[in-house]
Amino acid sequence: MNLQDILTRLVETNEAVLLNDGTRDWEAGALLEELSTPMLKRSAYLQPGMYIAEIDSRGYLGQVLYKVKKKA
């Protein structure tokens, strides 16, 4: 699964979450519009309610890309 798949699923299911990259909160739809194609194609894993992390070339979880926050 890649980051684009995860963000698309969050938008389609109308998840009430914000994604924080360490500097600001984003809605999934805004990230789909703003991120570059190479970034959207990165392999990633969603741990629901916690984070989206990249998956490295060996298949292990890597850097946390976004922390998942519930919308207030």
Side-chain angles (χ1 to χ4, degrees):
M1 182 172 278
N2 61 35
L3 183 56
Q4 183 174 8
D5 296 334
I6 292 169
L7 296 174
T8 299
R9 186 173 58 173
L10 290 173
V11 170
E12 288 175 351
T13 59
N14 202 25
E15 293 286 330
V17 297
L18 294 172
L19 304 171
N20 184 281
D21 64 3
T23 58
R24 67 179 272 204
D25 292 337
W26 296 86
E27 297 217 6
L31 284 172
L32 281 170
E33 294 174 8
E34 296 289 326
L35 293 175
S36 67
T37 300
M39 180 65 177
L40 289 170
K41 296 299 178 189
R42 289 172 88 175
S43 292
Y45 173 76
L46 169 65
Q47 178 63 45
M50 297 183 71
Y51 58 81
I52 298 173
E54 70 179 338
I55 298 182
D56 68 20
S57 60
R58 297 177 298 163
Y60 294 106
L61 289 179
Q63 171 185 351
V64 171
L65 302 172
Y66 300 97
K67 292 180 182 175
V68 177
K69 298 170 50 178
K70 289 195 180 238
K71 283 186 185 177

